[in-house]
């Protein structure tokens, strides 16, 4: 299964969904989680008060993450989380080692 991760350093889950300009894509199978892709996206948070829920950007992010079973990030607002789930991506908030977290998460997906 493929899981998208928001990470600043590629080691830890340590990036807010809205600040991510890329998502690392991991293939998780059994007791292995390996990096297989990196997908660049437009940053969701731009602090545009006229367009607080930028649905078109969320749609673009969901399109970029097609094929992923879930998305894991350090933080995500309730509005974007609900919209990502509506668009078909389960979202999880976590921190810590990417590999360890993904292996634990795969047990419940």
């Amino acid at each position: 299964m493929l899981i998208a991760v928001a990470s600043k350093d590629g080691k830890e889950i340590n990036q807010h969904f809205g600040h991510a300009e890329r998502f690392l894509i991991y293939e998780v199978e059994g007791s292995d989680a390996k990096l297989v892709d990196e997908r660049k996206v437009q940053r969701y948070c731009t602090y545009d008060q006229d367009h607080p829920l930028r649905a078109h950007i969320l749609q673009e992010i969901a399109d970029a993450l097609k094929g992923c079973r879930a998305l894991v990030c350090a933080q995500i607002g309730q509005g974007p989380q609900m919209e990502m789930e509506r668009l078909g991506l389960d979202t999880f908030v976590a921190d810590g080692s990417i590999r360890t977290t993904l292996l634990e998460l795969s047990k419940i997906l």
Side-chain angles (χ1 to χ4, degrees), residues 63-77:
D63 289 346
L65 301 181
K66 282 232 188 297
C68 293
R69 170 71 176 86
L71 162 70
V72 184
C73 54
Q75 220 175 4
I76 186 170

Side-chain angles (χ1 to χ4, degrees), residues 1 7 23 32 71 74-75 89 95 97:
M1 113 180 66
S7 175
F23 288 92
D32 190 29
L71 162 70
Q75 220 175 4
L89 270 171
D95 59 12
S97 162

Side-chain angles (χ1 to χ4, degrees), residues 24-95:
L24 303 176
I25 309 301
Y26 284 82
E27 183 174 21
V28 182
E29 191 173 320
S31 62
D32 190 29
K34 65 180 178 178
L35 179 64
V36 295
D37 199 2
E38 176 181 318
R39 300 186 187 163
K40 296 189 184 290
V41 297
Q42 183 176 342
R43 182 179 171 151
Y44 174 71
C45 287
T46 60
Y47 308 105
D48 182 352
Q49 294 182 13
D50 294 330
H51 301 94
L53 182 60
R54 299 169 24 155
H56 66 289
I57 300 299
L58 293 174
Q59 180 64 58
E60 289 173 11
I61 293 170
D63 289 346
L65 301 181
K66 282 232 188 297
C68 293
R69 170 71 176 86
L71 162 70
V72 184
C73 54
Q75 220 175 4
I76 186 170
Q78 183 179 9
Q81 181 175 11
M82 289 172 46
E83 183 65 6
M84 293 307 290
E85 289 179 356
R86 187 187 74 75
L87 294 170
L89 270 171
D90 289 333
T91 58
F92 297 90
V93 173
D95 59 12

Side-chain angles (χ1 to χ4, degrees), residues 6-18:
S7 175
K8 296 177 190 176
D9 60 10
K11 297 175 185 170
E12 302 284 322
I13 298 166
N14 56 10
Q15 189 163 42
H16 187 291
F17 170 82

